[in-house]
Amino acid sequence: MSAKKISGTEVARAIENDLREQVSEMRRKSPGFQPRLAIVQVGGREDSNVYIRMKLKAAENIGILAEHIKLPRDYNQNELLAKLSYLNDSPLVHGIIVQMPLDSTEKIDAHLVTDAVSPHKDVDGLNTQNEGRVAIGDMSGFIPCTPAGVIELIKRSGVSISGKNAVVLGRSRIVGTPVAELLKWEHATVTVCHSKTKNLSEITKTADILVVAIGKPELVRGSWIKPGAVVIDCGINPIPDSSKSSGQRLVGDVSYSEAVQVASHVTPVPGGVGPMTVAMLMRNTVLAARRQLERLVAPAWPLSPLRLNILTPVPSDIEIARAQKPKHIAQLAEEIGLYPNEVSQYGSTKAKISLSVLERFRDQKGGKYIVVAGITPTPLGEGKSTTLLGLVQALGAHRGKNAFACMRQPSQGPTFGVKGGAAGGGYSQVIPMEDFNLHLTGDIHAVTAANNLLAAQMDARIFHELTQKDGPLYDRLVPKIKGVRKFSAIQLRRLKKLGINKTDPDALTPEERTKFARLNIDTKKIMWNRVVDLNDRYLRKITIGQSPTEKGFTRETSFDISVASEIMAVLALGKNIDDIKERLANMVVALDKDGEPVTADDLGVTGALMVLLKDAFEPTLMQTLEGTPVLVHAGPFANIAHGCSSILADKIAMKLAREGGYVATEAGFGSDIGMEKFFDIKCRASGDTPHCAVIVATVRALKMHGGGPAVSPGLPLHDVYVQENLELLSKGLCNLGKHISNGNKFGVPVVIAINRHGNDTEAELNMVKEYAVKNGAFRAVVCSHWARGGAGALELADAVVAACDAPPAFRYLYPLDLPLVDKIRTIAVEMYGAGHVDYTDDVLEKIKKFTEKGYDKLAVCMAKTSNSLTGDPSIKGAPTGFTLRINDIFVSVGAGFIVPMVGDISKMPGLPTRPSIYDIDLDTKTGEIQGLF
């Protein structure tokens, strides 16, 4: 008899053809996606080079992007492990192999190296975890390539493995041992032989299936083989052959000429197992890529929600937060599709997320976009943040949707003042709430440092210009360093702005040098204040420059709270790092004596600001009480800025949530302030289209708008707020109606979330629901998320899902090319209900100057009290036809908006008589924070 040759070359070709089609299918699903293989080689052994060329050729044929990473022979173990760690973390690499043997002059533990390759990328199947899986019959990892090729060849021969006697010659980690395990799990009865086995030829003659991987040329003779057996030869050995030009030829561990006379099937050498090893490597790589792609396009994250232990009565916020053990932030990051190199952990409960996520997901369609705002609130707040978190807990932990909350980072001013934190409340919170409310990852401090560096540079420049003549001033600005004088990059930008097309500092004329060196800032027209992230009323007006060293050059200035800095607004509105840099450069800090703007770039400080803000560009990942993800980023003041979290956080969240997911983000205060700015400023800057607006209402606030007595923090509520009073409630519903109307004017469905409080009656809640639906709300629902977590917001979640499915019809309230006074009037009339807008003469003069400089094409960011739809905080309800008076106006060029001031809006809050400070302490034994809400 003559055995049938099992051609590994033909089988490998068929496998590669199938893999090529699989890769094409993946790229049809995701056009920007391509499987990637990293082949790491230390040194340059020629036999290794031959194998690598085979792998590169096969990869190219299939459509795999294979990178050959050549490392020098003196690469040491630590360097190699660091390289593998980088490849493990890279989301662009799906498979990693380390070419063996290592050709290194240094001592390297090969086993340690193969185990350093992530089991998820170990397409060679040599990591101990993958080997262990094979040993217990778990084929969910990666099967070693040569053993996998052996099994594939046997199956392709048409021979059934089940029930057969199989003998494996060789017990190596790479071939013999895993082949034996695979045969066992294919239901063969397996005997493993090795160099110490006695009566070897007698044992091999019992084999229905004989696999030889012993490393000795032609060891197995025809007499060792059972007639009709299947013989798989894994050996490849060079032997002398004078008939060959190379002087040698390759043979296997089996005498092929003898085996074909006895066996039913036999593999040749070469052309047998060798090509299959490469084919199986390619198959593992495609499998690794497909697993990642399936994870990317899966309709839902593999999220593990946290269970709540609901108590009645509801404990304090901090007691609830401490009772819940959060997931490790690395686990949450992995669940939502992030890679380790995209996550910078700050301890175990929070982490910065790299902006590189946006590039990786550039072709990924984003989730539905939801804004959460409120009606005109009481000073106690109506639970907007709590509702936001209850909504995403309901969507994510209960409805199985990919759901993100995006929130502002709270300022320490309110935390130590009277309002308290902004982590939500009850069973709808961000945890750990202490971290959320205190420092977090330091972004506000970075903004503070950057803001104050700019202020320091501005005042220093004013001083130096006042105390130096033109020549010395220019020479100090462009000094000789080691005999060479040159402009810095930012100085070249200033020259270009001035129309001076020269790059040699010595080539400037005296007039050009003066023009370059002197900013001539008008100290009466400075727009830039210093900031601090605390409530400090005594910094509202200060005098600086009183030291004798400042030579009498004093001036009056102010401190603002850090979140009121234009830098914070820039951080929140930048679409990417380049956009943020351009916005920072364009910030106007003052006017010169000719009335021209002086920018941060003119002061040479843009690059330094970028360095200080480097880490602050990245949003912070946290979680809700129920283990759903939250991105916290930026915290612009809602009164004088736009009061929304960052565009970058929202964009990352929408990409991670995917097409079927949901991203809910907050807007400060009511629809008249935060929501209008969210739509007209933030969405205009980002280009993102919102799908739904959730407006939070409470019976308490509506009673106040109906004429109820004042609500004050720290004082007991009047009886009308804790007892049923339908008449008072009905009078205040007009405020809710106005906010619904405001949302509808932007063309988005408005869902009313009625935040239930303990004293609300069913009659009161039903009255609010019925009024809302009759007056244009898409749906109105009662929520009990404060007391029940996500389970208390399920009806809200369902309403939001339905609203997001409605055909999109979003529109801005005004076009940017509308004259500035017309934009202001549109907001005043449409959002507030005003009948007329009045301006001071000074404001009208500023509007004229802004128009001359082209600033009138910017968006409008109205600075108005949040306590009333009007400019008077004492007026409640929904009045109409009133006059809105604009008593000041300024421009935030970097942020990209004009700020008309309605009434007196303080940018530096003060501490009350009894601030929260009195209740806050640190337990020196346990390290726990006490008294924080």
Side-chain angles (χ1 to χ4, degrees):
M1 64 179 292
S2 179
K4 182 178 179 180
K5 183 174 74 171
I6 306 174
S7 173
T9 302
E10 291 179 6
V11 175
R13 187 180 300 117
I15 290 171
E16 288 182 10
N17 290 338
D18 177 62
L19 293 176
R20 190 185 307 111
E21 180 53 39
Q22 289 185 42
V23 170
S24 298
E25 179 60 26
M26 282 191 275
R27 301 199 73 177
R28 282 192 288 271
K29 284 183 180 179
S30 180
F33 186 83
Q34 186 174 15
R36 297 192 180 205
L37 172 65
I39 304 172
V40 180
Q41 181 187 20
V42 177
R45 284 176 52 132
E46 185 52 36
D47 54 348
S48 292
N49 292 337
V50 171
Y51 297 140
I52 289 171
R53 284 195 291 270
M54 291 169 58
K55 294 166 185 175
L56 292 172
K57 183 178 179 181
E60 183 180 10
N61 180 44
I62 293 166
I64 297 170
L65 183 60
E67 180 186 7
H68 182 191
I69 300 171
K70 298 179 182 180
L71 304 175
R73 293 186 71 225
D74 61 355
Y75 223 63
N76 64 39
Q77 182 168 287
N78 286 338
E79 291 171 322
L80 179 55
L81 294 177
K83 173 64 72 174
L84 293 176
S85 177
Y86 169 79
L87 295 172
N88 285 336
D89 289 345
S90 172
L92 299 178
V93 175
H94 306 113
I96 304 168
I97 64 168
V98 180
Q99 186 66 42
M100 295 293 179
L102 299 169
D103 180 24
S104 176
T105 59
E106 305 296 314
K107 185 177 179 181
I108 299 179
D109 184 339
H111 187 76
L112 181 65
V113 168
T114 53
D115 269 4
V117 177
S118 166
H120 303 295
K121 298 186 178 185
D122 170 38
V123 290
D124 249 345
L126 300 180
N127 182 287
T128 302
Q129 287 190 36
N130 283 323
E131 289 182 328
R133 286 192 178 99
V134 171
I136 62 171
D138 176 2
M139 304 301 164
S140 63
F142 293 107
I143 301 170
C145 299
T146 300
V150 167
I151 300 301
E152 188 70 24
L153 286 175
I154 297 171
K155 289 180 175 180
R156 297 265 180 154
S157 72
V159 174
S160 173
I161 300 175
S162 179
K164 297 293 194 303
N165 288 325
V167 174
V168 178
L169 267 63
R171 56 182 174 181
S172 72
R173 176 189 171 205
I174 294 175
V175 182
T177 297
V179 161
E181 299 294 350
L182 291 173
L183 287 166
K184 178 179 69 176
W185 296 114
E186 290 288 342
H187 310 298
T189 301
V190 184
T191 302
V192 178
C193 300
H194 46 79
S195 60
K196 305 297 183 183
T197 301
K198 294 180 179 180
N199 303 317
L200 190 58
S201 63
E202 296 303 314
I203 297 173
T204 59
K205 280 193 285 191
T206 67
D208 301 312
I209 299 170
L210 179 60
V211 179
V212 186
I214 204 73
K216 294 184 179 180
E218 299 184 329
L219 171 70
V220 176
R221 316 307 298 184
S223 60
W224 292 27
I225 300 169
K226 178 181 178 180
V230 176
V231 179
I232 308 295
D233 187 353
C234 302
I236 184 162
N237 310 283
I239 63 171
D241 187 341
S242 59
S243 67
K244 301 291 183 181
S245 59
S246 62
Q248 61 182 23
R249 62 186 172 93
L250 296 176
V251 298
D253 292 349
V254 176
S255 173
Y256 182 79
S257 61
E258 295 181 20
V260 294
Q261 302 301 317
V262 184
S264 63
H265 298 78
V266 65
T267 56
V269 176
V273 174
M276 290 300 296
T277 300
V278 176
M280 293 298 102
L281 173 65
M282 297 301 118
R283 187 161 74 175
N284 279 348
T285 303
V286 171
L287 175 60
R290 186 168 66 245
R291 285 173 176 169
Q292 179 179 311
L293 182 61
E294 287 171 353
R295 183 181 169 201
L296 291 175
V297 301
W301 299 318
L303 192 74
S304 303
L306 301 177
R307 188 171 65 177
L308 294 177
N309 180 25
I310 304 291
L311 299 178
T312 305
V314 177
S316 70
D317 291 351
I318 199 163
E319 287 177 297
I320 292 171
R322 284 184 180 158
Q324 184 68 293
K325 180 173 175 57
K327 289 184 281 193
H328 196 289
I329 202 66
Q331 178 189 341
L332 178 62
E334 183 178 4
E335 288 175 348
I336 62 176
L338 292 166
Y339 276 77
N341 70 328
E342 297 168 334
V343 180
S344 300
Q345 293 183 38
Y346 283 63
S348 62
T349 57
K350 55 187 182 289
K352 286 283 193 178
I353 305 305
S354 171
L355 302 187
S356 65
V357 172
L358 291 172
E359 174 60 23
R360 178 162 69 93
F361 284 99
R362 64 186 181 277
D363 299 318
Q364 173 74 53
K365 291 183 179 179
K368 299 295 176 67
Y369 199 23
I370 304 145
V371 61
V372 179
I375 62 171
T376 307
T378 68
L380 301 179
E382 310 319 306
K384 180 165 52 62
S385 298
T386 307
T387 302
L388 168 72
L389 293 165
L391 169 61
V392 296
Q393 287 179 174
L395 286 166
H398 296 267
R399 289 293 188 245
K401 307 287 187 182
N402 292 352
F404 251 108
C406 290
M407 304 181 71
R408 288 179 292 169
Q409 181 183 344
S411 165
Q412 290 178 154
T415 298
F416 291 105
V418 68
K419 180 184 176 184
Y427 289 99
S428 296
Q429 293 188 55
V430 181
I431 53 174
M433 62 96 79
E434 303 103 306
D435 291 7
F436 181 81
N437 288 303
L438 297 172
H439 303 289
L440 196 57
T441 48
D443 291 355
I444 294 180
H445 300 318
V447 169
T448 302
N451 183 99
N452 293 344
L453 177 65
L454 179 51
Q457 168 67 345
M458 176 183 64
D459 281 314
R461 185 61 174 267
I462 292 169
F463 173 82
H464 291 307
E465 288 189 27
L466 288 170
T467 56
Q468 297 181 52
K469 293 183 178 180
D470 291 354
L473 178 64
Y474 179 78
D475 289 341
R476 288 189 173 97
L477 284 170
V478 196
K480 280 188 177 181
I481 300 175
K482 295 182 179 179
V484 178
R485 192 180 201 183
K486 64 179 182 178
F487 293 114
S488 67
I490 201 166
Q491 289 178 323
L492 290 171
R493 289 205 298 272
R494 173 159 170 77
L495 287 170
K496 185 176 180 181
K497 177 181 176 180
L498 295 171
I500 302 172
N501 298 314
K502 296 177 181 178
T503 58
D504 180 1
D506 294 324
L508 269 65
T509 66
E511 294 77 12
E512 289 171 336
R513 294 184 183 201
T514 300
K515 190 177 179 182
F516 169 82
R518 292 206 173 272
L519 299 179
N520 288 323
I521 292 172
D522 186 339
T523 54
K524 296 184 179 63
K525 295 179 181 177
I526 290 174
M527 307 170 192
W528 198 261
N529 293 336
R530 287 166 173 81
V531 298
V532 64
D533 191 36
L534 293 170
N535 291 358
D536 192 343
R537 65 176 65 246
Y538 273 85
L539 293 179
R540 289 171 178 168
K541 183 75 73 173
I542 62 170
T543 301
I544 61 171
Q546 292 190 344
S547 168
T549 56
E550 273 46 74
K551 302 181 180 181
F553 298 124
T554 63
R555 69 177 181 90
E556 281 193 349
T557 184
S558 305
F559 266 80
D560 301 331
I561 196 164
S562 295
V563 290
S565 170
E566 185 178 352
I567 292 176
M568 180 63 84
V570 166
L571 181 64
L573 287 171
K575 290 184 291 187
N576 51 54
I577 294 179
D578 289 332
D579 185 31
I580 291 173
K581 185 173 186 178
E582 184 177 355
R583 288 172 178 270
L584 291 172
N586 291 336
M587 291 188 305
V588 175
V589 299
L591 298 180
D592 66 17
K593 292 173 183 176
D594 295 324
E596 294 301 314
V598 178
T599 68
D601 224 41
D602 291 326
L603 284 163
V605 77
T606 306
L609 299 183
M610 291 290 290
V611 170
L612 282 173
L613 295 169
K614 179 176 67 73
D615 293 335
F617 298 148
E618 299 179 339
T620 300
L621 178 67
M622 298 186 75
Q623 63 192 283
T624 67
L625 280 166
E626 297 192 60
T628 61
V630 180
L631 279 182
V632 186
H633 199 213
F637 212 42
N639 295 98
I640 59 93
H642 65 295
C644 301
S645 62
S646 77
I647 285 173
L648 285 171
D650 289 1
K651 284 186 177 294
I652 288 174
M654 283 192 281
K655 292 293 188 182
L656 290 170
R658 307 170 198 168
E659 190 173 4
Y662 298 85
V663 174
T665 188
E666 63 177 345
F669 302 125
S671 73
D672 55 320
I673 299 180
M675 190 182 75
E676 183 273 321
K677 294 174 182 178
F678 171 83
F679 290 142
D680 281 324
I681 297 175
K682 183 177 179 181
C683 290
R684 204 189 299 261
S686 70
D688 294 322
T689 300
H691 296 85
C692 170
V694 174
I695 294 179
V696 181
T698 61
V699 169
R700 177 182 67 196
L702 292 171
K703 285 181 177 179
M704 179 190 71
H705 288 294
V711 175
S712 301
L715 297 178
L717 289 171
H718 191 277
D719 287 347
V720 298
Y721 296 113
V722 295
Q723 297 172 1
E724 185 174 285
N725 191 322
L726 296 176
E727 181 182 358
L728 189 64
L729 176 61
S730 66
K731 291 179 181 177
L733 287 170
C734 58
N735 186 268
L736 174 60
K738 178 57 179 166
H739 289 286
I740 295 171
S741 170
N742 284 354
N744 286 334
K745 285 173 182 174
F746 291 94
V748 297
V750 176
V751 174
I752 300 303
I754 306 164
N755 190 10
R756 180 195 287 268
H757 286 186
N759 297 307
D760 299 343
T761 68
E762 293 302 317
E764 290 173 328
L765 295 168
N766 286 331
M767 177 179 279
V768 178
K769 280 179 66 175
E770 291 170 7
Y771 177 89
V773 173
K774 286 180 181 177
N775 286 269
F778 177 85
R779 201 172 293 177
V781 298
V782 177
C783 307
S784 55
H785 45 276
W786 179 79
R788 298 175 58 215
L794 290 175
E795 193 177 352
L796 174 61
D798 294 341
V800 165
V801 169
C804 288
D805 288 338
F810 172 67
R811 56 186 175 272
Y812 302 119
L813 190 65
Y814 56 82
L816 288 180
D817 58 3
L818 203 65
L820 186 51
V821 292
D822 292 339
K823 285 188 280 197
I824 294 170
R825 185 180 186 281
T826 298
I827 295 171
V829 172
E830 298 294 335
M831 293 289 104
Y832 312 154
H836 180 69
V837 180
D838 191 21
Y839 302 90
T840 66
D841 291 341
D842 183 52
V843 169
L844 289 173
E845 181 61 27
K846 287 181 178 179
I847 289 175
K848 181 180 177 183
K849 289 181 178 178
F850 290 165
T851 302
E852 290 171 356
K853 297 185 185 305
Y855 298 154
D856 61 316
K857 299 299 185 291
L858 299 176
V860 170
C861 184
M862 298 287 280
K864 180 185 77 69
T865 178
S866 60
N867 295 322
S868 172
L869 286 166
T870 74
D872 183 345
S874 66
I875 298 176
K876 305 302 179 184
T880 58
F882 56 88
T883 296
L884 191 78
R885 184 170 179 79
I886 310 296
N887 57 11
D888 198 4
I889 192 167
F890 66 89
V891 62
S892 294
V893 179
F897 49 65
I898 297 275
V899 185
M901 301 287 288
V902 181
D904 294 323
I905 304 294
S906 175
K907 293 193 283 184
M908 172 53 79
L911 292 173
T913 304
R914 192 190 186 285
S916 300
I917 290 168
Y918 283 92
D919 303 310
I920 297 172
D921 199 359
L922 182 72
D923 188 317
T924 57
K925 291 184 174 61
T926 66
E928 287 188 340
I929 296 170
Q930 299 174 335
L932 199 62
F933 330 117

